[in-house]
Amino acid sequence: MKGFVHIRIDDRLIHGQVATRWSTGLKVNRIMVIDDAVAANDNEKAILRMAAPAGVNTSILPLEKAVANIRNGNYDGQRVMLIVKSPLTLVKMLEMGVQLLPVNIGNMSNRPGTTQYKKSVSMTPEEKAAVDRLLAAGIKVTAQMVPDDPETGIENFF
């Protein structure tokens, strides 16, 4: 994943913490969101683009196109933060041959059918299995809301 500096799971996608704390601290020049439904919704894309900090480009793409762009080296020389809503997307990327960086889980809201593992992290059984799959593949997965929080392995909350 040349050009990528951070992968975050956050069901809010681009929002205040990402726009101010994470993107600034990581000195990113692009925020990439991979989500098929959001990529197909012009209103949601416009809102996310407005939430991005000035001077930071956005790519809001469906999974297939994003993986093709990554494979083609479209982000070489950039500093890209990747955001997805669910670990299921990252497992699909892994299955498509993308070598993932360590993953940070920021926020996965409490929803029907989820188990709360940490104040800001609730997962369905399928999402938990996806995180387990990432861990089994040797990918470090942490839970960290903001950069100042301690970087704690997600497995410590299971």
Side-chain angles (χ1 to χ4, degrees), residues 114-128:
T114 62
T115 299
Q116 185 174 16
Y117 293 98
K118 181 180 182 266
K119 181 180 176 188
S120 61
V121 179
S122 295
M123 293 184 237
T124 65
E126 296 81 13
E127 290 167 337
K128 167 74 166 59

Side-chain angles (χ1 to χ4, degrees), residues 33-110:
V33 170
I34 299 177
D35 187 278
D36 291 349
V38 173
N41 185 317
D42 289 338
N43 288 332
E44 283 190 64
K45 288 193 297 190
I47 291 166
L48 290 175
R49 287 192 170 107
M50 284 190 285
V56 175
N57 296 313
T58 57
S59 295
I60 303 167
L61 303 170
L63 178 64
E64 297 281 339
K65 182 168 177 53
V67 169
N69 286 355
I70 292 167
R71 283 190 182 136
N72 291 336
N74 292 9
Y75 308 102
D76 292 6
Q78 296 186 44
R79 293 187 59 81
V80 183
M81 178 177 182
L82 170 62
I83 306 173
V84 297
K85 286 184 178 183
S86 168
L88 297 167
T89 303
L90 298 176
V91 168
K92 288 177 188 169
M93 291 176 70
L94 192 65
E95 290 169 351
M96 295 169 81
V98 176
Q99 297 291 318
L100 298 175
L101 303 172
V103 173
N104 165 317
I105 301 176
N107 192 75
M108 294 177 72
S109 299
N110 196 353

Side-chain angles (χ1 to χ4, degrees), residues 5 19 26 47 53-54 58 83 96 106 134 141 155:
V5 296
L26 295 167
I47 291 166
T58 57
I83 306 173
M96 295 169 81
L134 295 172
V141 181
E155 64 277 6

Side-chain angles (χ1 to χ4, degrees), residues 19-20 23-24 28-31 48-58:
T20 59
S23 63
T24 303
V28 301
N29 63 359
R30 178 175 301 279
I31 297 172
L48 290 175
R49 287 192 170 107
M50 284 190 285
V56 175
N57 296 313
T58 57

